[in-house]
Amino acid sequence: MAIAVENAPLKADAQGVIRVANTRVTLDTVVAAFLEGCTPEEIGEQYPSLPLPEIYLAIGYYLKHCDEANVYLAERQQQAEENRQA
């Protein structure tokens, strides 16, 4: 059996928002659900457009790159707060 390297299924859109698996679901959404205690299977039930393997890869990416991801997530929260106030 050959071991294949799997890349995280994450892509930034034109506004810099990171989306998962060529869907409209954001990394923010998947990570928030995971941190609230949802399993990847439960996240898949909430977002049926996300294939389960991609959910696992996105969570794995977050866990492996927590520092960088948390900076991105904090920036997104700040942007959302600014949008709410405007």
Side-chain angles (χ1 to χ4, degrees), residues 7-55:
N7 293 321
L10 305 173
K11 291 186 181 173
D13 66 14
Q15 292 76 36
V17 178
I18 299 175
R19 301 195 183 274
V20 181
N22 294 318
T23 69
R24 293 181 47 92
V25 182
T26 64
L27 178 62
D28 316 34
T29 301
V30 172
V31 170
F34 175 71
L35 294 177
E36 289 172 1
C38 291
T39 66
E41 289 79 10
E42 291 168 333
I43 295 169
E45 289 173 10
Q46 292 175 14
Y47 303 97
S49 63
L50 286 178
L52 188 58
E54 277 76 1
I55 296 169

